[in-house]
Amino acid sequence: MALTADKQALIWKTLNETRGKIEPSEYKNYIFGLMFYKFLSEKAQTWLDQQLRGETWASVWEQNPEKAAAFMQTKLGYVIQPGELFSDWQAAINVDQFNITNVADALVHFNQGIQQGAKATFEGIFDDMDLTSSRLGSNTQTRTKTLMDWISLIDQIELDEDADVLGDLYEYLIGMFAANSGAKAGEFYTPHQVSDIMARILTAGREDMPTYSLYDPAMGSGSLLLTTASYMQNDGVRGAIKYYGQEVITTTYNLGRINLMMHGVEYNDIHIHNADTLSSDWPDGVQSGVDSPRMFDAVMANPPYSLKWDNDNREDDPRFKSGIAPKSKADFAFLQHGLYHLKQDGRMAIVLPHGVLFRGAAEGRIRQALLENRNISAVIGLPEKIFTNTGIPTIIMILEKNRTTDDVLFIDASKGFEKQKNNNKLRQEDVDLIVETFLKREDVAKYAHVASFEEIKENDFNLNIPRYVDTFEEEEAVDLVAVSQDLVDVNRDIAQSESDLLAMISDLAVTEDSQAIIASAKQLFGGKHE
């Protein structure tokens, strides 16, 4: 059972009240770090309760620390030493024996106790929690007080035993921090409605695949991966779904790793790199001079729009065989990277700015090559102002590698949204209509059109949506006879009103004070001066 909207809003309000002078973009690193440590602690405690059979974790550790550590590593991939669980921190606070070094020591020991095979998932995941920062306080005492307040706050958040609740809360807070962290800082978040459209299209007809691999080359918080996996029947089955992703910003990379695990994804199903996707292809591509790239069932991405990138010496890069994207705009570089790693029967969805539909030069040639190769399946125009980091209108482009047809479905969904204070929001009915229209793949008046290759060629491979979906609404014809009669009636009413007013003025008593006013009023309305 998910948290109610009221409870989520209360938690967000409480968090803001304890933020002090720390910016939301920085504050989230501490809150998410503490939430994740609590999550790992409770997971470890649950496992210990099943294994120890009456013994205490401290007594087992005291007998043989190395053996005890290996025991927990084998199952969980990490170790939390006795006395260093989240609940131990809260217990120390309750008896006034807590110090910020309790947290610092626990995090050091956590990093030291990561299983070799789990290092890519856990190593450095708490590095964004700078416990020496002066923003927490000017000295150890004040920093300890700040940590005590936050730990007590996280401890007081009442959560059901359903693990999804913590994950849902984390996802909600990611969205709230994105919306309140400024335009640039919000890049890590894709609104759930957009993720939902992409996920439903990617998984349509494939929900019962026993195994499924997902790849997001600009993964941000990982919400696209999680939403897509949620539509698979084997979501939650260990080993059935593999999550792959790359993220260049280290803090966001940590955010994404935490998000996946907070949603119950096991560490050995997570394969995520802190790397620049365009300069560093997925690392198991070229081996001993032979290119054998890893391929995925589904690729999804919401990369930074029109990013500047280093496009020098890319001619031999097999990812960019349709052409090199211009230095000032990496949109088609991200697109081609994802398409390169897509299986022959896979499906890809990517969010891009409208410019990719009509810009010329190198981008025009890449677009033509993709169309001639039958890679572009659909173009979906979204409303403006639905992202936290930009107000520009965007599209979702759907691509496949091995299509038998060369037509393209255009959907103009730009007018279906709910207006909010600073942004627009896709409603559930807007999301449903987009997905249902994609699946039916047929013309819908003023909303969707299946364009043939010849039609697109006649438009010089320009994919601007208004060329294919006519949303123009003709204005109702003006009845000039009726308008003329209305004017006659209005003029007659005005004349009658002026006549009535003059009659009333004529009845007024003429005094020394009113004489000039009465005369000027009669002159104004056409009466004779007396």
mmCIF file of all heavy atoms in Angstrom, residues 283-299:
data_model
loop_
_atom_site.group_PDB
_atom_site.id
_atom_site.type_symbol
_atom_site.label_atom_id
_atom_site.label_comp_id
_atom_site.label_asym_id
_atom_site.label_seq_id
_atom_site.Cartn_x
_atom_site.Cartn_y
_atom_site.Cartn_z
ATOM 1 N N PRO A 283 31.549 -0.627 -21.574
ATOM 2 C CA PRO A 283 32.943 -1.107 -21.581
ATOM 3 C C PRO A 283 33.203 -2.464 -22.204
ATOM 4 O O PRO A 283 34.347 -2.773 -22.521
ATOM 5 C CB PRO A 283 33.301 -1.114 -20.087
ATOM 6 C CG PRO A 283 32.005 -1.113 -19.369
ATOM 7 C CD PRO A 283 31.048 -0.386 -20.224
ATOM 8 N N ASP A 284 32.204 -3.318 -22.411
ATOM 9 C CA ASP A 284 32.525 -4.609 -23.003
ATOM 10 C C ASP A 284 32.216 -4.627 -24.496
ATOM 11 O O ASP A 284 31.829 -5.638 -25.054
ATOM 12 C CB ASP A 284 31.789 -5.736 -22.288
ATOM 13 C CG ASP A 284 30.289 -5.486 -22.201
ATOM 14 O OD1 ASP A 284 29.822 -4.477 -22.745
ATOM 15 O OD2 ASP A 284 29.601 -6.293 -21.581
ATOM 16 N N GLY A 285 32.428 -3.474 -25.176
ATOM 17 C CA GLY A 285 32.207 -3.399 -26.613
ATOM 18 C C GLY A 285 33.337 -4.026 -27.409
ATOM 19 O O GLY A 285 33.242 -5.163 -27.855
ATOM 20 N N VAL A 286 34.440 -3.309 -27.583
ATOM 21 C CA VAL A 286 35.562 -3.807 -28.373
ATOM 22 C C VAL A 286 36.514 -4.611 -27.485
ATOM 23 O O VAL A 286 37.026 -4.108 -26.500
ATOM 24 C CB VAL A 286 36.319 -2.643 -29.031
ATOM 25 C CG1 VAL A 286 37.507 -3.179 -29.827
ATOM 26 C CG2 VAL A 286 35.390 -1.839 -29.932
ATOM 27 N N GLN A 287 36.700 -5.886 -27.816
ATOM 28 C CA GLN A 287 37.622 -6.754 -27.070
ATOM 29 C C GLN A 287 38.571 -7.420 -28.047
ATOM 30 O O GLN A 287 38.140 -8.068 -29.004
ATOM 31 C CB GLN A 287 36.829 -7.810 -26.296
ATOM 32 C CG GLN A 287 35.932 -7.198 -25.211
ATOM 33 C CD GLN A 287 35.102 -8.251 -24.491
ATOM 34 O OE1 GLN A 287 35.084 -9.414 -24.864
ATOM 35 N NE2 GLN A 287 34.387 -7.833 -23.467
ATOM 36 N N SER A 288 39.861 -7.224 -27.810
ATOM 37 C CA SER A 288 40.907 -7.763 -28.693
ATOM 38 C C SER A 288 40.670 -7.342 -30.141
ATOM 39 O O SER A 288 40.822 -8.119 -31.088
ATOM 40 C CB SER A 288 40.937 -9.304 -28.590
ATOM 41 O OG SER A 288 41.140 -9.716 -27.258
ATOM 42 N N GLY A 289 40.255 -6.099 -30.306
ATOM 43 C CA GLY A 289 40.052 -5.564 -31.647
ATOM 44 C C GLY A 289 38.746 -5.962 -32.300
ATOM 45 O O GLY A 289 38.448 -5.538 -33.423
ATOM 46 N N VAL A 290 37.944 -6.777 -31.625
ATOM 47 C CA VAL A 290 36.674 -7.220 -32.202
ATOM 48 C C VAL A 290 35.523 -6.527 -31.463
ATOM 49 O O VAL A 290 35.466 -6.551 -30.231
ATOM 50 C CB VAL A 290 36.511 -8.756 -32.072
ATOM 51 C CG1 VAL A 290 35.160 -9.187 -32.640
ATOM 52 C CG2 VAL A 290 37.656 -9.454 -32.788
ATOM 53 N N ASP A 291 34.638 -5.900 -32.242
ATOM 54 C CA ASP A 291 33.524 -5.192 -31.637
ATOM 55 C C ASP A 291 32.368 -6.159 -31.357
ATOM 56 O O ASP A 291 31.801 -6.743 -32.271
ATOM 57 C CB ASP A 291 33.048 -4.086 -32.587
ATOM 58 C CG ASP A 291 31.954 -3.242 -31.950
ATOM 59 O OD1 ASP A 291 31.955 -3.146 -30.714
ATOM 60 O OD2 ASP A 291 31.122 -2.690 -32.682
ATOM 61 N N SER A 292 32.088 -6.363 -30.095
ATOM 62 C CA SER A 292 30.962 -7.223 -29.722
ATOM 63 C C SER A 292 30.148 -6.512 -28.650
ATOM 64 O O SER A 292 30.205 -6.860 -27.472
ATOM 65 C CB SER A 292 31.462 -8.575 -29.201
ATOM 66 O OG SER A 292 32.392 -8.375 -28.149
ATOM 67 N N PRO A 293 29.435 -5.487 -29.057
ATOM 68 C CA PRO A 293 28.720 -4.652 -28.070
ATOM 69 C C PRO A 293 27.624 -5.426 -27.354
ATOM 70 O O PRO A 293 27.012 -6.334 -27.918
ATOM 71 C CB PRO A 293 28.117 -3.547 -28.943
ATOM 72 C CG PRO A 293 27.980 -4.168 -30.297
ATOM 73 C CD PRO A 293 29.151 -5.090 -30.439
ATOM 74 N N ARG A 294 27.399 -5.056 -26.104
ATOM 75 C CA ARG A 294 26.281 -5.648 -25.356
ATOM 76 C C ARG A 294 24.972 -5.084 -25.888
ATOM 77 O O ARG A 294 24.845 -3.892 -26.133
ATOM 78 C CB ARG A 294 26.431 -5.330 -23.873
ATOM 79 C CG ARG A 294 25.398 -6.014 -22.997
ATOM 80 C CD ARG A 294 25.688 -5.720 -21.539
ATOM 81 N NE ARG A 294 26.892 -6.400 -21.093
ATOM 82 C CZ ARG A 294 26.918 -7.610 -20.545
ATOM 83 N NH1 ARG A 294 25.783 -8.272 -20.386
ATOM 84 N NH2 ARG A 294 28.046 -8.153 -20.156
ATOM 85 N N MET A 295 24.031 -5.962 -26.119
ATOM 86 C CA MET A 295 22.735 -5.546 -26.655
ATOM 87 C C MET A 295 21.647 -5.713 -25.600
ATOM 88 O O MET A 295 21.725 -6.612 -24.762
ATOM 89 C CB MET A 295 22.388 -6.372 -27.902
ATOM 90 C CG MET A 295 23.393 -6.237 -29.025
ATOM 91 S SD MET A 295 23.532 -4.533 -29.608
ATOM 92 C CE MET A 295 24.663 -4.730 -30.986
ATOM 93 N N PHE A 296 20.604 -4.887 -25.695
ATOM 94 C CA PHE A 296 19.563 -4.863 -24.674
ATOM 95 C C PHE A 296 18.172 -5.011 -25.303
ATOM 96 O O PHE A 296 17.941 -4.590 -26.437
ATOM 97 C CB PHE A 296 19.640 -3.563 -23.885
ATOM 98 C CG PHE A 296 21.002 -3.310 -23.291
ATOM 99 C CD1 PHE A 296 21.914 -2.489 -23.942
ATOM 100 C CD2 PHE A 296 21.380 -3.911 -22.104
ATOM 101 C CE1 PHE A 296 23.175 -2.266 -23.408
ATOM 102 C CE2 PHE A 296 22.634 -3.694 -21.560
ATOM 103 C CZ PHE A 296 23.538 -2.872 -22.214
ATOM 104 N N ASP A 297 17.257 -5.582 -24.519
ATOM 105 C CA ASP A 297 15.874 -5.728 -24.992
ATOM 106 C C ASP A 297 15.179 -4.375 -25.113
ATOM 107 O O ASP A 297 14.316 -4.191 -25.971
ATOM 108 C CB ASP A 297 15.083 -6.612 -24.022
ATOM 109 C CG ASP A 297 15.581 -8.054 -24.031
ATOM 110 O OD1 ASP A 297 15.632 -8.642 -25.122
ATOM 111 O OD2 ASP A 297 15.930 -8.566 -22.950
ATOM 112 N N ALA A 298 15.517 -3.478 -24.229
ATOM 113 C CA ALA A 298 14.878 -2.153 -24.251
ATOM 114 C C ALA A 298 15.908 -1.088 -23.893
ATOM 115 O O ALA A 298 16.719 -1.278 -22.988
ATOM 116 C CB ALA A 298 13.712 -2.104 -23.269
ATOM 117 N N VAL A 299 15.883 0.007 -24.625
ATOM 118 C CA VAL A 299 16.737 1.161 -24.333
ATOM 119 C C VAL A 299 15.824 2.359 -24.149
ATOM 120 O O VAL A 299 14.908 2.588 -24.954
ATOM 121 C CB VAL A 299 17.728 1.433 -25.478
ATOM 122 C CG1 VAL A 299 18.531 2.712 -25.191
ATOM 123 C CG2 VAL A 299 18.667 0.250 -25.676
#
